């Protein structure tokens, strides 16, 4: 669910305050959440793949063939998760993709900081005028 205009403004104000108070910390946090999530997902998929191999081997040892089938399906599912998680992971230094853009609108791309600075300046001008 997309954020409302008011929620987006509040989020941008919080981001500006964070950048103003501690720009080094803010730049260290930028984009790391998605990278950490996808890295953790890939690690979990690799662990699941190893569990699938163990199930496959156990199915060969015990007389129940369905254990091998389950192990194979677990391996297949985890391999799929690992590959999709690896592809979606942003590269170091790359910014994660934002939300959905307005379709059919050709807007010039501006950085988040440019938009934040522009809104901050506009707000200061409005406050000084009142």
């Amino acid at each position: 669910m997309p954020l409302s205009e008011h929620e987006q403004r509040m989020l941008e104000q919080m981001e500006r305050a964070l950048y103003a108070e501690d720009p080094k910390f803010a730049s260290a946090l930028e984009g790391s959440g998605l990278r950490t999530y996808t890295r953790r997902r890939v690690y979990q998929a690799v662990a699941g793949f190893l569990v699938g191999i163990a199930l496959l081997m156990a199915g060969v040892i015990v007389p129940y063939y369905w254990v091998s089938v389950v192990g194979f399906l677990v391996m297949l599912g985890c391999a799929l998760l690992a590959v999709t998680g690896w592809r979606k992971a942003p590269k170091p230094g790359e910014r994660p993709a934002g939300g959905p853009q307005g379709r059919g609108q050709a807007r010039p791309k501006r950085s988040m900081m440019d938009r934040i600075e522009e809104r901050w300046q506009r707000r200061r001008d409005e406050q000084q005028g009142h």
Side-chain angles (χ1 to χ4, degrees):
M1 177 182 350
L3 297 176
S4 70
E5 289 292 323
H6 176 69
E7 292 169 332
Q8 287 177 351
R9 282 193 301 268
M10 290 187 64
L11 180 61
E12 289 166 0
Q13 286 177 346
M14 289 188 286
E15 287 175 352
R16 279 194 300 272
L18 178 62
Y19 275 100
E21 289 177 15
D22 196 354
K24 186 176 180 182
F25 177 69
S27 64
L29 287 180
E30 194 173 82
S32 66
L34 183 61
R35 250 193 328 266
T36 303
Y37 169 75
T38 52
R39 187 179 308 132
R40 187 175 341 130
R41 183 176 170 185
V42 169
Y43 290 152
Q44 289 171 349
V46 168
F49 189 84
L50 295 175
V51 168
I53 289 175
L55 284 172
L56 187 67
M57 295 299 203
V60 170
I61 295 171
V62 296
Y64 303 112
Y65 69 91
W66 58 270
V67 176
S68 292
V69 172
V70 169
F72 177 75
L73 292 175
V74 168
M75 287 171 51
L76 187 64
C78 289
L80 183 65
L81 280 176
V83 169
T84 58
W86 192 266
R87 286 184 183 168
K88 289 180 183 178
K91 309 295 183 266
E94 178 183 60
R95 301 186 112 183
Q101 296 288 330
R103 292 187 177 106
Q105 297 177 357
R107 283 200 254 168
K109 293 201 176 217
R110 297 182 296 169
S111 72
M112 180 184 73
M113 286 305 294
D114 290 338
R115 291 190 312 261
I116 289 172
E117 288 175 11
E118 179 183 323
R119 289 181 184 142
W120 178 258
Q121 200 61 28
R122 198 176 336 139
R123 185 171 292 118
R124 291 181 86 192
D125 293 342
E126 289 174 2
Q127 286 178 353
Q128 290 176 355
H130 291 288

